[in-house]
Amino acid sequence: MTEDTHTFGDGRLAASVRAHGAELCALRANGRDLLWAGGEPWRRQSPVLFPIVGRLVDDAAWVDGQAYRMTQHGFARDCTFRWLERDETGCRLELSDTEATRRVYPFAFSLVIDYRIEQGRLRVGYCVTNPDATRVLPASLGAHPAFVWPLSPDVPKDRHVIEFDQPEPEGVRRLKGGLLLPDSFPTPVRGRVLHLDESLFAADALILDRLASTGLTYRIPDGPGLRLTWEGFPQLGIWMKPGGDFLCIEPWHGMASPVGFKGDFSTRPGVFHLRPGQEWRASWQVGCI
């Protein structure tokens, strides 16, 4: 453990979290890395997406008729969080508004992230609170963990699958220039199974915005895999960058702005709204199978 990084576990699973971005930066089981190590072609590992998921039109958040510049996925991933708690099985961190955040997002907020390992599973919990006594807080939040792909170095990527808990027949959404296209596209999920191939991501992320499932298994058929579940996230993004040996499986509450969107920030797709003193909670969990 250092001032900037905290490592914890339960003997079956171990994780490390950085204060910068409150980012999960290592996840290991039985000496095997489960999380992408970072580096080219994508240097991040599990950024926190807040207060937006995706991109804004012209990188501008319009609030009460005034434009505020905010780049893709928001600013939390580039801020240093404050440690609230650190022990042998987890940690809690907090990010609150500052003069700097208010220049790009003119709202008071508290974002607390709790990492905890129990019984061989990592749980990541989020709590956003509105401390403003007079104003509604609009926000989105998403997880962006990058798991190793392939899961085993001697198995081709295209032998991996994602098995959803429920059939996922609804169309998927796609992006153009980081913005949400208006149309829905035929889903590549067949029943409950998505056969993975890098070509799926040639046009950026697959976005499931009408999810039936709250869990999935990412695995090699008849081989090792990861079990993911989530609560409070109505959308899911799946993404990789060409040339990278990782697969991002991303529970979201919110999405990129639609192409041509010019509305107020509070009306973006997937934004939640917190009254004074109200809080929003969500979580995701992962473990080996």
Side-chain angles (χ1 to χ4, degrees), residues 7-261:
T7 298
F8 54 97
D10 67 351
R12 296 164 60 186
L13 191 67
S16 297
V17 172
R18 283 192 292 260
H20 185 76
E23 186 169 6
L24 180 69
C25 56
L27 187 65
R28 302 183 186 90
N30 302 316
R32 181 166 60 98
D33 286 321
L34 307 177
L35 195 73
W36 162 250
E40 296 301 329
W42 191 58
R43 303 193 65 82
R44 300 184 189 267
Q45 296 173 270
S46 184
V48 176
L49 315 183
F50 177 86
I52 59 172
V53 174
R55 188 175 295 276
L56 302 170
V57 174
D58 299 327
D59 292 331
W62 287 88
V63 179
D64 297 333
Q66 182 174 342
Y68 296 82
R69 177 172 170 76
M70 196 188 315
T71 55
Q72 185 176 24
H73 293 325
F75 52 76
R77 61 183 183 168
D78 296 316
C79 292
T80 298
F81 283 60
R82 177 172 66 96
W83 297 107
L84 298 179
E85 178 185 346
R86 293 193 281 180
D87 61 33
E88 65 277 5
T89 62
C91 58
R92 292 172 65 239
L93 308 92
E94 182 181 28
L95 179 68
S96 300
D97 59 286
T98 64
E99 289 185 10
T101 68
R102 283 177 172 266
R103 284 195 290 268
V104 297
Y105 179 63
F107 297 97
F109 69 88
S110 167
L111 167 59
V112 174
I113 305 178
D114 182 79
Y115 290 90
R116 193 68 46 188
I117 289 179
E118 294 177 348
Q119 299 181 340
R121 289 182 62 82
L122 171 68
R123 180 184 184 277
V124 186
Y126 307 87
C127 179
V128 179
T129 305
N130 179 8
D132 195 313
T134 62
R135 194 176 193 186
V136 171
L137 171 66
S140 290
L141 189 146
H144 202 315
F147 301 105
V148 293
W149 185 29
L151 287 165
S152 182
D154 57 343
V155 177
K157 288 183 178 180
D158 61 8
R159 282 203 54 218
H160 293 62
V161 297
I162 286 177
E163 299 171 346
F164 291 93
D165 286 1
Q166 303 292 333
E168 297 292 348
E170 301 291 346
V172 299
R173 306 296 296 274
R174 303 304 300 245
L175 303 170
K176 182 177 181 180
L179 300 174
L180 194 67
L181 289 169
D183 298 324
S184 179
F185 293 80
T187 180
V189 181
R190 298 294 174 255
R192 297 191 303 112
V193 179
L194 174 64
H195 292 274
L196 291 168
D197 187 277
E198 288 196 20
S199 63
L200 289 170
F201 311 103
D204 212 315
L206 284 175
I207 301 170
L208 287 78
D209 66 333
R210 290 175 287 174
L211 270 173
S213 302
T214 56
L216 59 81
T217 302
Y218 161 49
R219 66 184 302 164
I220 301 165
D222 302 318
L226 298 177
R227 171 71 178 159
L228 284 87
T229 60
W230 55 88
E231 298 176 353
F233 291 109
Q235 295 97 24
L236 186 76
I238 307 173
W239 176 78
M240 64 87 62
K241 193 165 187 175
D245 291 331
F246 63 85
L247 182 73
C248 292
I249 304 174
E250 312 173 34
W252 294 344
H253 197 304
M255 295 181 290
S257 292
V259 171
F261 178 81

